[in-house]
Amino acid sequence: MTPEIILSLQKAKEDLVLEIANSVFKKIKEQNLFNDQPQEKDVFLSREEAAELIGISLPLLDNLTKSKKLRSNRLKSRVLYSRKDLIEDVKKTGKFNRAN
C-alpha cells in the first residue's frame, strides 16, 4: 500500500469513529428517561468545525485549548469539542481575537 492509501484509510477510520461517537452520544441523550426537562442536543465537533463555529484560526483554537479556556475531549488521536461547551466557554471567557 502506498502512504497516500494508508493515510486515506486512517482518515476514513477516524471519521467513522467520530460518527459512531456522535450517534452513541445522541442515543444516550435521547434515552434519558429520568429527566423531565427537554434536553438540548449536543454534538462533537472537529478542530476545524470548532474554529469555524467561533470564528477563530486553528492555532488560536489550540492555544485556547492548551490554556484551558476551551474545554476539549480526546478520542484516540482526535481532539473533539462539544458544541454546547464551546458556546458556554465563549460566553464565559468573552470574545476571542481572530488570529491571522
Side-chain angles (χ1 to χ4, degrees):
M1 277 190 202
T2 65
E4 292 83 17
I5 292 174
I6 293 171
L7 289 174
S8 175
L9 290 173
Q10 185 176 7
K11 175 77 170 121
K13 179 182 172 184
E14 289 176 354
D15 288 343
L16 180 60
V17 169
L18 178 61
E19 187 64 32
I20 291 169
N22 277 331
S23 295
V24 169
F25 183 76
K26 180 180 174 184
K27 284 293 181 190
I28 289 171
K29 288 199 86 128
E30 287 174 356
Q31 298 299 320
N32 187 0
L33 303 174
F34 300 108
N35 191 350
D36 293 336
Q37 297 178 356
Q39 296 275 328
E40 182 179 325
K41 291 187 179 182
D42 195 13
V43 294
F44 287 99
L45 307 172
S46 67
R47 291 174 56 246
E48 292 81 8
E49 293 168 328
E52 183 178 330
L53 176 69
I54 60 177
I56 61 173
S57 68
L58 285 174
L60 180 55
L61 179 78
D62 293 339
N63 289 339
L64 292 169
T65 302
K66 287 176 187 173
S67 67
K68 306 287 187 199
K69 292 182 181 172
L70 294 178
R71 291 174 276 179
S72 66
N73 303 284
R74 280 208 170 268
L75 182 63
K76 294 198 177 200
S77 63
R78 299 204 51 171
V79 177
L80 302 174
Y81 296 86
S82 159
R83 186 177 192 283
K84 182 179 171 185
D85 287 349
L86 269 177
I87 292 169
E88 287 176 11
D89 292 346
V90 169
K91 286 179 181 177
K92 183 172 68 175
T93 307
K95 188 174 181 179
F96 299 119
N97 294 328
R98 179 182 286 263
N100 295 326

